[in-house]
Amino acid sequence: MSNPTVVSFWRYPVKSMMGEELNAADITERGVLGDRAYALVDRSDGKVASAKNPRKWPALFDFRAAYVHPPRPGEKLPPVRITLPNGTVVTSEQGDLDQLLSDALGRRVALETRAPETPHLEEYWPDMEGLAHRETVTDEATLASTFFDLSVLHLLTTATIDRLRELYPQGRFEVRRFRPNIVVEIPSGEKSFVENGWIGHTITLGDAVRLRITEPCPRCVMTTLPQGDLPKDPGILRTAAQYNQVSIGVYAAVLRGGTIRRGDPVRLE
């Protein structure tokens, strides 16, 4: 039987904005090179802006971020280009960038590359069975000195997406709802939460990259939000809660970095 293969890569230069799909990715100890390297920080309270609280930040998914040229290992990160909801394109090199972003969001923000040592964000929990909280906003600590939530790398398989579509056919389960870094195709056509069985194991991607699969990826209200042509749909999160303990995909730690490309084989050690 053929091995699973990498079918897509995603990088999100600015936390909680739309990102960019890649044909290849440089994997470092901090995940995909350039991923979540920038974030907006609320000037009023110092918290990281996140679509996890859409009541405070309802428009973040209407912003799109991409690097002006691809980042290269060992070099300074390039500037980022941000497309605002009205179509205006700005870059991180502009002196008036923070003002333009603040105007577009209706809150005073700053685009930062240096994360606080103990970053925090706010998370809204909808009134839904199976969640840790219901109809409230909590203050959540995230990964120290980074703009990541809990881990530097997020993997998702096509088997999980296909299983979710089977469980809730009315929902549009598309990769972009879940914002993974690496999507792995399972060649057997299996429809199951296959990556749950990888937790605690090491996987190899291509010839060089080795990852330790550490834990399931807990999901939140972000998966239900509209983005582009995808509608708002609480059923997305409800399905994860009912059938997979509110998790979709897995987190990973990088044991050995390197370059991986679309089509590279994935082997479970």
Side-chain angles (χ1 to χ4, degrees):
M1 192 173 91
S2 58
N3 281 312
T5 56
V6 177
V7 289
S8 64
F9 300 100
W10 297 82
R11 176 172 59 210
Y12 310 91
V14 181
K15 184 178 183 64
S16 277
M17 292 186 185
M18 295 292 102
E20 46 191 355
E21 188 173 8
L22 310 170
N23 289 315
D26 293 306
I27 307 298
T28 73
E29 63 181 14
R30 288 174 61 99
V32 174
L33 182 64
D35 190 44
R36 276 103 170 171
Y38 293 81
L40 298 177
V41 174
D42 188 335
R43 287 184 176 236
S44 69
D45 58 17
K47 291 178 182 174
V48 176
S50 170
K52 286 178 179 290
N53 188 5
R55 293 180 171 185
K56 184 175 180 180
W57 307 103
L60 280 176
F61 276 1
D62 296 327
F63 292 71
R64 182 171 297 277
Y67 285 102
V68 296
H69 58 77
R72 291 185 175 85
E75 297 183 9
K76 182 182 176 184
L77 278 177
V80 71
R81 180 187 299 116
I82 298 172
T83 305
L84 306 184
N86 67 3
T88 301
V89 178
V90 297
T91 79
S92 55
E93 294 179 303
Q94 289 183 218
D96 60 348
L97 176 68
D98 288 349
Q99 186 61 55
L100 292 169
L101 292 171
S102 298
D103 291 345
L105 287 160
R107 299 186 70 92
R108 289 186 66 230
V109 297
L111 184 71
E112 300 284 1
T113 55
R114 185 187 294 269
E117 286 184 19
T118 55
H120 283 251
L121 53 76
E122 293 172 342
E123 179 168 356
Y124 167 67
W125 302 77
D127 187 8
M128 187 178 296
E129 192 170 343
L131 304 188
H133 307 276
R134 294 177 73 162
E135 196 52 46
T136 190
V137 175
T138 58
D139 186 79
E140 301 288 331
T142 56
L143 197 62
S145 302
T146 77
F147 292 128
F148 295 102
D149 288 342
L150 298 172
S151 175
V152 299
L153 206 58
H154 172 207
L155 279 78
L156 180 63
T157 68
T158 55
T160 284
I161 293 287
D162 289 342
R163 177 60 177 148
L164 292 165
R165 288 171 177 159
E166 200 173 56
L167 291 167
Y168 177 49
Q170 308 95 302
R172 286 183 59 190
F173 288 93
E174 297 188 20
V175 163
R176 53 196 164 126
R177 276 204 192 272
F178 306 106
R179 298 171 64 82
N181 298 114
I182 300 171
V183 182
V184 175
E185 183 174 45
I186 306 300
S188 62
E190 184 178 348
K191 298 178 182 180
S192 71
F193 301 113
V194 65
E195 58 268 50
N196 288 357
W198 298 355
I199 295 168
H201 294 272
T202 298
I203 63 171
T204 303
L205 297 87
D207 296 326
V209 174
R210 295 180 73 234
L211 308 175
R212 180 76 173 172
I213 307 301
T214 55
E215 60 194 309
C217 179
R219 308 317 308 208
C220 66
V221 71
M222 287 175 68
T223 61
T224 72
L225 301 179
Q227 52 168 288
D229 62 329
L230 291 178
K232 178 180 178 179
D233 187 353
I236 301 292
L237 184 59
R238 189 174 292 114
T239 304
Q242 287 177 337
Y243 297 101
N244 201 38
Q245 300 179 305
V246 209
S247 295
I248 298 174
V250 289
Y251 281 140
V254 180
L255 301 179
R256 187 174 65 212
T259 302
I260 46 177
R261 296 172 178 81
R262 193 176 295 195
D264 275 354
V266 178
R267 301 177 185 88
L268 183 65
E269 294 183 8

